[in-house]
Amino acid sequence: MDNISVDRLDATDISILRILQTDGRLTTKELAARVARSATPVYERVRRLEQEGYIKGYVAILNPDRLRRGFVVICNVKLRELCREKADTFVSRIMDIAEVTECYNVSGKFDYLLKIMAPDMDYYRDFVLNILGTIDNISAIESTFVMETLKSGTAIPL
C-alpha cells in the first residue's frame, strides 16, 4: 500500500478519526451528527479511510483484571546473535505467544521490548522458564513489573 500523506486528510476526516478512536461502535448516523455532516458522505469518508489504511480495524477493549490477565510485565529481551534470520525466527516465535500482547524492536541495551499479560507472578515465572526460556537465541531477559496502570490508551493523538 502506498504511504498516504496525512496532509490529504481534512478537518472532517480528522474529526471522524478522533471520534472513532473513542467509540468505534457509533452508527453512521450518530457519527454524521457528531461531525455535522449528512450520513451518506460520512459513510463514504469512513470507507475511504478504511481502504486507504488510516483505519486498520475495530476492536472491543477488554478488562484484563476481569479476565485474570491484569499482571502486566514489560520484558526486555537481548538476542545472542542479531542477524536477519535469527531476528525473524525470534519474531515468528513471539507472534505465536498469546501472552505477548505487544512486541517492539528497540535500540539500546536490548533488542526487543515485550508487553506480557499474565494472571500473576507464579504464572509469569513459569512463562519465562517454559516459553521464553525455550527460545534458542535469547541471551538476556530483564523484567519490569507494572505496579499500577496510570494511563493506558489506544488513541493516536491527532
Side-chain angles (χ1 to χ4, degrees), residues 2-158:
D2 295 343
N3 285 337
I4 297 173
S5 171
V6 173
D7 297 335
R8 289 190 48 197
L9 300 177
D10 64 16
T12 301
D13 291 333
I14 297 291
S15 292
I16 288 169
L17 292 173
R18 280 188 182 130
I19 292 165
L20 287 176
Q21 283 190 109
T22 59
D23 190 352
R25 293 187 69 184
L26 289 174
T27 66
T28 300
K29 184 177 177 181
E30 292 167 329
L31 181 58
R34 291 203 190 174
V35 297
R37 300 280 190 264
S38 61
T40 300
V42 168
Y43 172 79
E44 291 169 357
R45 282 175 181 262
V46 171
R47 294 280 300 155
R48 178 180 52 80
L49 292 166
E50 291 169 347
Q51 290 170 349
E52 291 179 355
Y54 290 102
I55 299 172
K56 291 172 59 173
Y58 300 89
V59 299
I61 299 171
L62 306 179
N63 182 338
D65 293 323
R66 295 282 299 164
L67 298 165
R68 292 198 61 242
R69 290 294 183 268
F71 186 73
V72 179
V73 182
I74 304 303
C75 180
N76 292 295
V77 176
K78 178 143 190 72
L79 300 184
R80 187 175 302 114
E81 294 179 65
L82 191 57
C83 64
R84 173 60 51 204
E85 181 184 336
K86 301 279 185 177
D88 288 348
T89 299
F90 171 79
V91 170
S92 177
R93 290 282 308 274
I94 291 301
M95 297 303 246
D96 291 334
I97 301 171
E99 291 87 351
V100 177
T101 60
E102 297 178 43
C103 175
Y104 302 95
N105 179 219
V106 296
S107 63
K109 181 178 171 184
F110 291 92
D111 301 312
Y112 293 92
L113 183 147
L114 311 177
K115 179 180 175 185
I116 298 166
M117 299 183 80
D120 54 37
M121 178 67 84
D122 289 338
Y123 186 97
Y124 181 69
R125 182 196 62 234
D126 290 341
F127 173 83
V128 169
L129 294 173
N130 300 317
I131 297 175
L132 283 185
T134 65
I135 300 176
D136 208 27
N137 193 32
I138 293 179
S139 70
I141 294 173
E142 180 180 276
S143 301
T144 302
F145 306 103
V146 175
M147 297 188 318
E148 181 182 13
T149 300
L150 303 172
K151 182 177 180 181
S152 176
T154 59
I156 296 172
L158 299 173

